Amino acid sequence: MAEPLKVALAGLGTVGGGVIRLLDANRALIERRAGRPIEIVAVSARDRNKDRGVDITRFQWVDDMTALAEIEGVDAVVELIGGSDGPALTLARKTLGAGKAFITANKAMIAHHGLSLAQVADAQDIPLKFEAAVAGGIPVIKGIREGAAANEITRVYGILNGTCNYILTTMEKDGRDFTEVLGEAQALGYAESDPSFDIDGVDAAHKLSILASLSFGSALTFDGVATTGIRNVIAADISEAQALGFRVRLVGLAEEGEAGLFQRVHPCLVPMSHPLAHVTGSLNAVVAEGNFVGRLFFQGAGAGDGPTASAVVADLIDVARNEYGPAFAMPVESLAHPERADSGERTGRYFLRLTVEDRAGVLAEIATAMRDAGVSIESFIQRGVKEDGGALIVLVTHACPERCVTDALKRMQGSSSLTGSPMLMHILDL
Amino acid sequence: MAEPLKVALAGLGTVGGGVIRLLDANRALIERRAGRPIEIVAVSARDRNKDRGVDITRFQWVDDMTALAEIEGVDAVVELIGGSDGPALTLARKTLGAGKAFITANKAMIAHHGLSLAQVADAQDIPLKFEAAVAGGIPVIKGIREGAAANEITRVYGILNGTCNYILTTMEKDGRDFTEVLGEAQALGYAESDPSFDIDGVDAAHKLSILASLSFGSALTFDGVATTGIRNVIAADISEAQALGFRVRLVGLAEEGEAGLFQRVHPCLVPMSHPLAHVTGSLNAVVAEGNFVGRLFFQGAGAGDGPTASAVVADLIDVARNEYGPAFAMPVESLAHPERADSGERTGRYFLRLTVEDRAGVLAEIATAMRDAGVSIESFIQRGVKEDGGALIVLVTHACPERCVTDALKRMQGSSSLTGSPMLMHILDL
């Protein structure tokens, strides 16, 4: 039997505990698949004495997390601390600097520092792996990096945040409003006490920027992701969308073409016949569209200790098997640097919801703004709202450049007819 | 720049042409991803002069396909001839014997001879790869072999034949009968002129046996797959199933547990809330259920030149990157040899359709047979059939061991009340 792969583990939260449990439960099978045992030899976390439901006394304890990189005989360091900078980044740099494999679930760190870390890893041909950083247990990094590698990928998109999808699909099922469902999700532990990272789309944006880089062979640019979360989605948006044949999902979408690289996280209307419309609860899903393979669809659990541990250990098995290569599928210096596409020139259909005063002339005002901006209307619904005597207007445009819709909104801005902020959502092409 | 990977290609049908077109179209991108160029240097096919829409004069032509293995300087041979034995198998043996990488889309050959080929490949540590053999363009071999490698997989199943799924979903959409839709599919080129390989489930069974081996770490046993095709599915089965909240799909399912290894291809009732219910047309989809990752779902094009070429070239890129390992995820001698599970002991719900004479006593006869066999009935529908004055009876059982349902059918066998063969379908658990 070959030598074991010796692993040091930083971070013993939910996922860290999951990794230990997984390696215990599936030990024999993993040894057969990896060709050698995978053994945790040292661990580190903030609090040594917290009860984690797993026995950690059998591992060497290290107080300073970043010192794990320097333990003699360790082949690979797994980082499950989180945070884009701080100890996680220090540990990453030290580990790669010491010529050891580095595996992480840390999407924020990869989104911000992935390229500079990959340069260090590539230069020495050592593994830098982050399957767990995107879509939890779904092997989508591998699916794109390797499975779809023969394709020019034109579009990659998906449901990348389970908390948002849980909230949106619960709103859909129960007809309830955002704030109420968020509160319930927090009480159940499905959403953080400070939920902004999830519901404002930042977490999805981190993941999207990683997928985009792998899909297009372009340098990762997190600050190129235009991000809008789901705070302003109301129950009526979802029910009106449903009446029109759509479901509302927070979609991260990246596209590369002649116009450049486009990356956006935004609540979208998804046609019922699209597989993303059937992704419910906290599931994640990713679609990659390739010029030969067509549309690939991956779905599974996007978070949780078991699924995330599954992805982390899959990376360890790749390392143990010696089946790995450049972190971003090609050396960093081979990555392209496309222009950022002008979103104003993108053509699509749009869903617009307005809350207005219910009086003569309002409809004309909206219709005029649309006409003057060159936006043609496909569907139009007006409903009286009993509670405040106002009205809800929902309209779907024909396909037009995005700048026209933005222009129409500008023309309506400040109008005394509007009683609240308009809600604009993109309609996902089939 | 590293040396190119030099490839010889056997078989220039639809997929072979697709591989040549793909390598032409995505040449630069593939070179960046693979770290070196991938170049076809020699080809062989039955007819040298057939117009294939691609220029093959730039490649060395070899009359004897099996001689491709011996060309000096060739690193990898791609086999797209088909057939479980004959020249495909000879070429495989010669290629591996010559210490060269072998890539194939040939599910029949892998199902019948995959283990013996893998032994040769493993012994010399040379790549034997067959991503295109299962589910066309979907990287599901990789998804299971590597992406889900940390898991004990308990169940793997899916829609593995696009022709059957096209026929079933067209019957569903149009309310038409099997024979009519098959004829149309043949006219459109979606089904072969001799369709038995597809519609009798053999093709799906080949693929299932490969998935089962990879999922469970067990030796591939194609003759262990119990196979029933879709010939006997009638329009009424589909409409009655739909009324009960199900869709009919040809599902290949393998399960491993204490009872042993179970493998079956069979038309199934799939609950509407299961992702497989939304797989329409000629798409394929695979579900793998792991003890940590939960349910992974992969969907995409299961056939066609583009998707299949995508999978073949993904394998070539892995070979070029030197990222490969044992064909069946572990050396053949590490594979387990589980007992074959007794299907009679499997517990599940069943859908049974009977065509009967519309006269007194028939219902009592059926109900008695069910009772005596210990089968309890959940739903029961009887409809008069105008054309022949007979009646259609559809019933759904409560969960019971399969042997009870088989026993009930035996009790009814030969009854003068039955006007046709009963149709039994399994209901897929959620």
Side-chain angles (χ1 to χ4, degrees), chain A residues 38-192:
Chain A
I38 295 178
E39 277 175 17
I40 296 175
V41 294
V43 296
S44 179
R46 271 178 214 100
D47 179 358
R48 182 171 186 170
N49 299 311
K50 195 173 151 188
D51 180 18
R52 300 176 165 92
V54 287
D55 168 28
I56 58 161
T57 59
R58 57 196 154 141
F59 310 127
Q60 179 183 345
W61 175 269
V62 177
D63 277 323
D64 172 12
M65 286 185 200
T66 67
L68 289 176
E70 289 143 9
I71 296 176
E72 186 104 7
V74 162
D75 305 301
V77 173
V78 173
E79 182 272 310
L80 303 168
I81 313 166
S84 61
D85 296 83
L89 186 59
T90 308
L91 178 59
R93 291 201 171 126
K94 277 182 152 181
T95 304
L96 296 171
K100 296 175 180 184
F102 185 75
I103 289 103
T104 180
N106 188 331
K107 52 221 80 169
M109 182 174 72
I110 295 299
H112 286 284
H113 305 291
L115 289 185
S116 70
L117 295 174
Q119 271 173 319
V120 181
D122 290 354
Q124 303 168 87
D125 188 22
I126 44 177
L128 164 63
K129 295 186 67 75
F130 41 81
E131 182 65 80
V134 179
I138 312 173
V140 66
I141 300 265
K142 185 172 282 285
I144 289 174
R145 184 188 181 282
E146 301 161 31
N151 292 268
E152 188 181 316
I153 293 176
T154 45
R155 230 172 33 147
V156 64
Y157 57 103
I159 293 171
L160 300 171
N161 184 275
T163 304
C164 287
N165 208 56
Y166 172 83
I167 292 174
L168 290 173
T169 57
T170 305
M171 288 171 70
E172 175 182 300
K173 190 161 53 77
D174 303 345
R176 289 190 292 160
D177 257 318
F178 173 76
T179 321
E180 193 185 330
V181 177
L182 171 62
E184 188 186 274
Q186 286 173 313
L188 291 166
Y190 297 162
E192 308 279 338

Side-chain angles (χ1 to χ4, degrees), chain B residues 191-332:
Chain B
E192 307 280 337
S193 52
D194 175 3
S196 61
F197 213 66
D198 290 317
I199 65 175
D200 292 330
V202 183
D203 175 72
H206 286 147
K207 297 168 181 167
L208 180 68
S209 66
I210 299 171
L211 288 180
S213 173
L214 285 162
S215 298
F216 308 134
S218 56
L220 192 155
T221 49
F222 170 66
D223 62 4
V225 188
T227 304
T228 310
I230 62 167
R231 280 184 202 269
N232 300 324
V233 179
I234 62 174
D237 292 330
I238 292 178
S239 56
E240 296 298 342
Q242 203 142 16
L244 291 162
F246 298 98
R247 283 180 171 162
V248 177
R249 296 287 184 267
L250 183 70
V251 173
L253 181 145
E255 199 167 55
E256 208 212 22
E258 278 173 29
L261 173 64
F262 176 78
Q263 302 179 92
R264 170 151 63 194
V265 173
H266 203 281
C268 272
L269 265 62
V270 178
M272 282 298 294
S273 55
H274 192 288
L276 285 187
H278 302 282
V279 178
T280 54
S282 62
L283 288 175
N284 281 19
V286 176
V287 179
E289 293 173 356
N291 64 341
F292 277 77
V293 77
R295 179 184 287 169
L296 289 175
F297 179 74
F298 304 86
Q299 179 184 291
D305 55 342
T308 311
S310 167
V312 168
V313 177
D315 278 349
L316 284 171
I317 294 174
D318 275 353
V319 172
R321 284 170 166 166
N322 221 22
E323 296 180 18
Y324 68 89
F328 287 94
M330 61 182 74
V332 172

Side-chain angles (χ1 to χ4, degrees), chain A residues 4 31 51-53 65 80 89 178 188 200 212 235 244-245 252-253 276-277 329 338 345 348 372 383 400 409:
Chain A
E31 185 171 328
D51 180 18
R52 300 176 165 92
M65 286 185 200
L80 303 168
L89 186 59
F178 173 76
L188 291 166
D200 292 330
L244 292 161
L253 180 145
L276 285 186
E345 296 307 316
D372 292 351
R383 291 191 206 280
C400 65
L409 283 175

Side-chain angles (χ1 to χ4, degrees), chain A residues 211-276:
Chain A
L211 288 179
S213 173
L214 285 162
S215 298
F216 308 134
S218 55
L220 192 156
T221 50
F222 170 66
D223 62 4
V225 188
T227 304
T228 309
I230 62 168
R231 280 185 201 269
N232 298 324
V233 179
I234 63 175
D237 293 330
I238 292 177
S239 55
E240 296 298 341
Q242 203 142 16
L244 292 161
F246 298 98
R247 282 179 172 163
V248 178
R249 296 287 183 265
L250 183 70
V251 173
L253 180 145
E255 199 167 56
E256 208 211 22
E258 279 174 27
L261 173 64
F262 176 78
Q263 302 179 91
R264 171 151 63 195
V265 173
H266 202 282
C268 272
L269 265 63
V270 178
M272 282 298 295
S273 54
H274 192 288
L276 285 186

